Amino acid sequence: MKILILGGNGMLGPWAVRAMKDRHEILLTDINEPHPNYKGDYLQLSVSDVDGVIKAAEGMDVIVNLSVLRPHRQLAFDVNTMGNYAMMVAAREHGIKRVVNSGPHYQMAGEQYENWDFDLNPDMPPAAGTRLYAHTKALGQEVCRVFSQRHGIQVITLLYYNMKHSWDLSGMEPGGPQYHQDMIPYSTAWPDCGTAVQAAVEVPENRLATRCETFFVFPDLPHGKFNNEKIKRVLGWKPRYQVEGLWNKEFRTPPDNLHGAF
Ligand SMILES: NC(=O)c1ccc[n+]([C@@H]2O[C@H](COP(=O)([O-])OP(=O)(O)OC[C@H]3O[C@@H](n4cnc5c(N)ncnc54)[C@H](O)[C@@H]3O)[C@@H](O)[C@H]2O)c1
């Protein structure tokens, strides 16, 4: 298949490319210059450039949006919300049947759920809360939902918590919450984050209950805070790096840099 990736030059992009590059034709795009390690087709493109996204999407089978901007109010809206608008307009214009959207768990399972509940699943009523990142991403997801309903475009939304190196699922977030010294709960290893994108791109249509489906991308979590049953059952995604292996210090790969994934 021909895949257009938006915002693909960040942390997740290289892992999505690694998972898919031998199986699909990829056009990687981002607002930045390409990383020197990247050898495939590349286009410098902002997701807020609707005409540019439409042009780039010509002839594509799937669009994957990995773009995100977290801190600045206007930019977060332009990227996290309007980026999905550009993606959906492009899909509509070219009759592209599937898009893969991405974001953090709390664009759906915001504080009310996360602080007080457990067994959270991706089909709960969305409650993003007011945090800028979550809120703008939730609006972007809503844009996808409306286009999906009106134009029959299949939307698969992948929601992650933390993404980490497999040997460093324990790594503390600089300035972030201090959990147990040994692990950040709910972390997904980078290679598994990438294969989730691949699974979303490739899942046969008849496995999807509706045209707009959301998935939590987490390894198995013994405490049952988040439920990953749906992504395993529907997308057939199997995380390689589970919490048990982390606990047993099983993953000892020497660090390389993130863009080594290309
Ligand atoms: N990294 C994590 O731990 C994490 C956790 C949960 C969810 N996610 C989600 O995963 C996806 C990928 O995140 P990431 O970690 O790779 O983020 P990242 O910040 O590393 O990469 C985002 C990319 O978006 C690009 N971008 C910003 N503005 C753009 C614009 N106007 N046009 C085009 N591209 C633009 C950036 O240049 C960057 O390359 C996002 O949807 C994010 O919400 C990430």
Side-chain angles (χ1 to χ4, degrees):
M1 282 191 283
K2 290 190 170 179
I3 321 260
L4 172 66
I5 302 184
L6 307 171
N9 207 20
M11 293 183 278
L12 175 56
W15 297 98
V17 169
R18 178 186 274 198
M20 297 192 294
K21 69 180 179 199
D22 296 333
R23 307 164 67 91
H24 303 287
E25 276 177 59
I26 293 173
L27 173 57
L28 194 69
T29 72
D30 199 291
I31 197 167
N32 294 327
E33 297 273 331
H35 190 276
N37 285 359
Y38 180 66
K39 302 288 179 250
D41 293 335
Y42 192 90
L43 184 69
Q44 206 164 346
L45 175 68
S46 170
V47 287
S48 52
D49 171 7
V50 180
D51 291 338
V53 175
I54 293 174
K55 205 165 160 214
E58 191 171 359
M60 294 292 158
D61 299 301
V62 180
I63 310 177
V64 176
N65 188 5
L66 305 180
S67 66
V68 59
L69 256 186
R70 297 166 175 100
H72 182 281
R73 193 156 27 155
Q74 182 64 52
L75 293 178
F77 182 78
D78 290 348
V79 175
N80 302 344
T81 304
M82 297 309 286
N84 272 357
Y85 174 75
M87 169 170 73
M88 297 312 287
V89 170
R92 183 192 64 193
E93 291 302 299
H94 296 298
I96 295 170
K97 293 275 181 294
R98 179 174 298 182
V99 305
V100 177
N101 177 32
S102 65
H105 70 290
Y106 47 45
Q107 75 184 53
M108 217 205 63
E111 284 183 18
Q112 303 96 304
Y113 286 126
E114 194 183 349
N115 290 350
W116 305 111
D117 224 330
F118 73 100
D119 200 21
L120 304 174
N121 74 74
D123 292 319
M124 304 178 308
T130 54
R131 189 171 171 169
L132 181 65
Y133 176 21
H135 189 61
T136 49
K137 276 284 192 179
L139 289 174
Q141 187 170 354
E142 185 62 8
V143 168
C144 289
R145 190 191 65 75
V146 171
F147 269 79
S148 168
Q149 203 166 40
R150 295 220 173 155
H151 304 289
I153 302 163
Q154 211 164 59
V155 176
I156 299 178
T157 299
L158 300 175
L159 300 182
Y160 299 85
Y161 199 105
N162 282 308
M163 300 173 180
K164 290 279 179 188
H165 286 295
S166 53
W167 63 89
D168 187 33
L169 288 173
S170 55
M172 303 307 260
E173 294 286 2
Q178 303 290 298
Y179 295 108
H180 189 285
Q181 279 256 324
D182 248 11
M183 66 180 288
I184 302 231
Y186 333 129
S187 295
T188 310
W190 291 110
D192 290 336
C193 296
T195 56
V197 177
Q198 177 206 331
V201 162
E202 295 180 2
V203 65
E205 188 178 346
N206 62 10
R207 292 186 66 87
L208 299 165
T210 72
R211 290 208 184 93
C212 195
E213 291 288 327
T214 301
F215 299 90
F216 283 154
V217 188
F218 307 119
D220 297 343
L221 300 169
H223 44 61
K225 177 86 174 170
F226 287 91
N227 187 321
N228 66 352
E229 182 274 338
K230 184 177 173 188
I231 188 166
K232 292 194 291 184
R233 173 174 46 85
V234 178
L235 298 192
W237 176 74
K238 288 197 188 83
R240 155 78 180 82
Y241 298 97
Q242 297 281 9
V243 175
E244 192 182 335
L246 165 68
W247 191 256
N248 292 327
K249 308 275 190 274
E250 192 184 301
F251 310 128
R252 290 263 175 206
T253 318
D256 58 2
N257 84 45
L258 270 174
H259 286 89
F262 276 139

